[in-house]
Amino acid sequence: MPRYRKYKGSDKYHFRYYHLSNNHPFLVVLVLEEKKENGKTLISGFNMTTSVKLYNKRSGKFIKLKVNPDPSNKKQSFIKTDLVSLKPSKLFSDPLVGWHLSDEDIKTIDEMISKKYPKLKKRP
């Protein structure tokens, strides 16, 4: 995996691939926060999936997005509401170019964060 690159785009949220371990498949994460702590960059965010089966099994744990942020994929996509908190940047890829949330999906995620994680720092 390439070394960490800071996101320099203008989107409120961006996406990265997340690799838990060598034997675990890549996940896509909607990045909520990147911060430096003790000289290391840590990333927090929410996992994304296109698995309708997983969504149907635990629908209360997911937000259904109106538009898939991956422009090359037309499948329905879902954001898991459990926070992936403060993981080392070495587990993440560079920001995914071209992936963007719709304005409506940004509002939905903002509402979920304010209800479920009110202590998280407010984003612009």
Side-chain angles (χ1 to χ4, degrees):
M1 189 164 307
R3 65 182 181 80
Y4 170 77
R5 285 199 185 122
K6 186 164 180 64
Y7 177 68
K8 295 180 182 172
S10 59
D11 289 351
K12 186 172 189 177
Y13 303 107
H14 68 279
F15 294 86
R16 292 176 183 266
Y17 288 117
Y18 174 43
H19 196 59
L20 291 169
S21 69
N22 287 337
N23 298 322
H24 195 281
F26 283 101
L27 301 171
V28 173
V29 170
L30 176 141
V31 176
L32 175 66
E33 176 183 39
E34 298 177 27
K35 71 180 196 176
K36 287 257 187 199
E37 199 171 276
N38 297 328
K40 294 186 179 187
T41 302
L42 304 174
I43 297 176
S44 298
F46 300 99
N47 287 327
M48 186 182 105
T49 186
T50 56
S51 171
V52 175
K53 186 176 179 181
L54 187 59
Y55 172 77
N56 288 336
K57 186 176 178 181
R58 302 186 70 190
S59 63
K61 289 280 191 180
F62 290 88
I63 294 172
K64 184 188 286 189
L65 297 178
K66 299 288 184 205
V67 179
N68 189 327
D70 178 2
S72 67
N73 189 338
K74 300 297 180 204
K75 289 183 178 179
Q76 179 67 58
S77 56
F78 311 92
I79 297 290
K80 190 168 184 187
T81 60
D82 294 335
L83 185 65
V84 174
S85 187
L86 302 174
K87 301 295 180 185
S89 62
K90 69 181 181 179
L91 300 174
F92 294 85
S93 71
D94 290 344
L96 300 176
V97 177
W99 288 49
H100 304 284
L101 285 173
S102 70
D103 291 341
E104 192 174 344
D105 288 333
I106 290 172
K107 287 179 187 175
T108 302
I109 290 169
D110 286 346
E111 288 171 11
M112 180 273 295
I113 291 170
S114 67
K115 288 177 185 173
K116 190 167 178 174
Y117 302 100
K119 293 184 180 182
L120 284 176
K121 184 175 82 174
K122 298 285 184 206
R123 296 185 56 110

